[in-house]
Amino acid sequence: MTETISTMTYSQVIDGQPAESADYFDVINPATERIAGRAPQCTDEQIDRAMAAAVAASRSGWLRDKAKVAEALHRAGQVLSDNVDELAEVLMTEQGKPLEAARGEVLFSAAFLHYFADLEPASTPLGDGTAARGVVRTQPIGPTLAITAWNIPINLAVAKLAPAIAAGNPVILKPSPYTPLSTLRMGELLREVFPPGVLQVLSGTDELGPKLTARPEIRKITMTGSVGTGAKVYAAGAKDLKRVTLELGGNDAAILLDDYDAAAMNEPLFMAAFANTGQLCICAKRIYVPAERVDEIAEGLAAVAATMKVGPGTEPGVTMGPLQNKAQYDKVTELIEDAVAKGATVVTGGQRLPGEGYFMEPTILKGCRPGMRVVDEEQFGPVMPLIAYTELDEAVEQANGTEFGLGGSVWGADVERAESVASRVYSGMVWVNCHGEGQYPAQPFAGVKSSGLGAELGPWGLNAASDLRVDYTNLG
Ligand code: NAD
């Protein structure tokens, strides 16, 4: 790690200008447990200025000039690609993911900007145009607040700002206090791309979010995070009927059928559970396994785990970084202990790596069942609980039996049969013989039940960033 990176400090962006603060808060590098950098604590006066700038940008003509907006979004995508090395290093340092994964996140996000630059908003003509000329189209909502989580901070930020700006709304971006640095740096880099007030970045500790959601200038909130925070944001938005999109937690079930092809499927199933050290909302988090195949499948998955290299993102060949923060590390540790105390067996892993950093071995548990926290709660870490079933109906019922409904998957050699079982899984995204995959950013990301409200990405994401508008002229 270089000297510069160990003392990273970046500015907020308010009304097109860098905005420092008298107060800063520390950001911890999860691989070293030392301070990675400092982020400005947004002041009340800065919030006022950012709101005024967002309202002014909303009223200016620039955001309604589709050609200019598209050109700027393409340029923003190019800026991300041009600066991938720097952004990826900041992202790796504060989030923990391996450098290659951080690069992938930045480049994936650049593709989102290009996609939304070219996406045409929906427009539907009414009638045949003889007696009246009518069309249903979309219009901007107004200043949009984008609140993000710490697991994929750049991608979450871009998945919110790209459709919002494409739909003609100014955006105020508020990253998680655990990982504000990469978003702040991205804001600095994009300062020259958008006119003042179109994209602003404010950082602060957890009290900043409620201050922003309470502001009447904000007309739309799009937030990614936990279910509990989502409910608070929803309630805050209800006061003045802000539009709200929520992308919340998941506890995705993967159901393995009796013809599960272990040789072909163990590796993709493993990666679906352990990608980003298990810290993705759409990781497979509960694995339902036919009782007679538990030992064989557990062994196969443990063999995949043995090929993983856990370590700091700076080290070549590392496939899994640390947990992102101490609270998350402690929670995952508690869930493993709870499962073992209630009768689960550790097939592999279960230990913290010696030395500094929140590193944990990829952990596979068998003998898991409902009533164990690792099954009932979203664990959001490198743990794979295997739950044996004898009746398929029972597995489907348990898979559907939580408050969550983000994703789910069914795995089996007979694809038609697996699809038929998948049709009984109730979640926003249901996969067969894969988990989490897709044609992003063209496909929507949406959870049911407590996992979310509305959708991001694709034309559905552009619609969610817009209000409807009917234009109707009587020609009679
Ligand atoms: P979190 O709910 O603690 O925080 C999310 C964001 O909300 C942070 O920026 C935080 O500062 C802010 N916040 C906290 N309290 C607030 C309040 N009262 N008002 C406004 N903002 C507030 O979540 P986290 O721990 O950062 O992220 C992990 C969670 O995110 C997991 O549950 C994960 O599943 C979920 N997640 C969901 C998706 C999805 O698309 N569905 C994607 C990634 C992560």
Side-chain angles (χ1 to χ4, degrees):
M1 198 68 43
T2 62
E3 237 347 83
T4 15
I5 216 83
S6 66
T7 54
M8 295 183 293
T9 309
Y10 303 113
S11 299
Q12 305 171 100
V13 174
I14 299 176
D15 199 11
Q17 297 302 316
E20 309 290 342
S21 174
D23 279 339
Y24 282 78
F25 59 96
D26 293 337
V27 179
I28 304 297
N29 177 340
T32 61
E33 300 176 53
R34 289 195 286 271
I35 295 170
R38 290 161 5 117
Q41 179 70 42
C42 185
T43 65
D44 290 351
E45 183 272 328
Q46 288 175 327
I47 295 175
D48 289 343
R49 276 204 287 129
M51 293 295 157
V55 170
S58 200
R59 291 182 183 149
S60 81
W62 189 88
L63 273 162
R64 294 187 188 244
D65 185 331
K66 300 239 174 292
K68 284 192 177 140
V69 169
E71 195 262 334
L73 287 169
H74 276 306
R75 255 195 315 134
Q78 193 57 48
V79 167
L80 260 59
S81 302
D82 291 347
N83 293 279
V84 59
D85 291 340
E86 183 191 354
L87 281 169
E89 191 164 2
V90 180
L91 177 57
M92 171 195 70
T93 306
E94 68 174 354
Q95 205 285 331
K97 64 188 68 192
L99 190 57
E100 264 321 294
R103 286 177 59 84
E105 180 174 333
V106 174
L107 296 175
F108 188 49
S109 306
F112 282 30
L113 286 154
H114 294 301
Y115 171 82
F116 280 104
D118 290 335
L119 190 62
E120 289 292 326
S123 165
T124 311
L126 291 169
D128 63 6
T130 48
R133 194 165 43 230
V135 64
V136 184
R137 59 174 117 238
T138 55
Q139 60 186 333
I141 299 173
T144 295
L145 174 62
I147 301 178
T148 55
W150 46 255
N151 59 337
I152 40 171
I154 288 284
N155 190 244
L156 295 176
V158 171
K160 295 179 186 317
L161 77 88
I165 293 177
N169 308 289
V171 171
I172 294 178
L173 202 49
K174 192 214 83 65
S176 163
Y178 286 113
T179 53
L181 301 173
S182 51
T183 305
L184 288 166
R185 182 61 188 135
M186 179 174 71
E188 288 183 352
L189 291 167
L190 296 179
R191 205 163 60 78
E192 303 300 328
V193 172
F194 298 106
V198 170
L199 177 62
Q200 305 185 88
V201 184
L202 305 181
S203 60
T205 46
D206 262 343
E207 64 270 19
L208 178 60
K211 285 186 181 178
L212 298 177
T213 56
R215 294 295 298 231
E217 296 90 340
I218 296 296
R219 298 309 311 143
K220 161 88 201 250
I221 307 170
T222 169
M223 176 258 175
T224 294
S226 58
V227 175
T229 305
K232 287 184 197 158
V233 167
Y234 198 23
K239 289 199 185 76
D240 53 359
L241 294 175
K242 297 184 206 305
R243 278 66 178 133
V244 177
T245 301
L246 301 171
E247 298 287 2
L248 306 177
N251 190 2
D252 288 13
I255 300 175
L256 315 189
L257 300 180
D258 51 14
D259 62 346
Y260 173 81
D261 181 352
M265 296 172 179
N266 274 347
E267 198 170 323
L269 176 67
F270 182 92
M271 291 319 297
F274 290 94
N276 210 39
T277 311
Q279 301 167 116
L280 288 178
C281 50
I282 48 166
C283 275
K285 294 177 179 137
R286 293 175 288 154
I287 318 296
Y288 290 88
V289 187
E292 69 280 7
R293 295 194 59 191
V294 167
D295 290 337
E296 162 232 333
I297 290 173
E299 256 174 54
L301 291 166
V304 183
T307 66
M308 296 291 126
K309 182 173 173 193
V310 183
T314 40
E315 246 176 54
V318 160
T319 45
M320 282 175 57
L323 273 295
Q324 199 281 324
N325 57 71
K326 180 158 190 326
Q328 193 59 29
Y329 175 81
D330 290 344
K331 179 182 171 187
V332 175
T333 306
E334 277 172 28
L335 297 196
I336 295 172
E337 286 169 359
D338 172 78
V340 171
K342 289 174 180 160
T345 311
V346 177
V347 178
T348 185
Q351 298 299 318
R352 181 176 189 155
L353 294 196
E356 62 189 15
Y358 308 126
F359 293 102
M360 186 180 280
E361 293 172 336
T363 298
I364 298 174
L365 302 173
K366 68 178 179 182
C368 296
R369 55 174 168 76
M372 293 178 177
R373 291 182 60 198
V374 74
V375 176
D376 298 342
E377 298 177 25
E378 177 185 40
Q379 88 272 101
F380 220 57
V383 187
M384 181 190 247
L386 304 182
I387 305 144
Y389 73 85
T390 43
E391 297 296 330
L392 183 57
D393 285 353
E394 169 203 346
V396 173
E397 198 181 313
Q398 286 187 24
N400 290 336
T402 73
E403 64 168 320
F404 298 102
L406 192 59
S409 61
V410 179
W411 302 66
D414 179 341
V415 174
E416 278 71 32
R417 177 166 165 255
E419 282 180 335
S420 160
V421 177
S423 70
R424 298 164 56 199
V425 173
Y426 180 39
S427 58
M429 294 164 278
V430 188
W431 295 277
V432 168
N433 292 342
C434 63
H435 194 115
E437 286 183 16
Q439 311 291 318
Y440 312 110
Q443 104 185 24
F445 204 92
V448 297
K449 298 196 276 181
S450 294
S451 287
L453 190 72
E456 271 185 343
L457 303 182
W460 303 269
L462 197 62
N463 282 342
S466 313
D467 274 332
L468 280 181
R469 174 191 173 93
V470 176
D471 285 313
Y472 196 93
T473 306
N474 183 351
L475 300 175

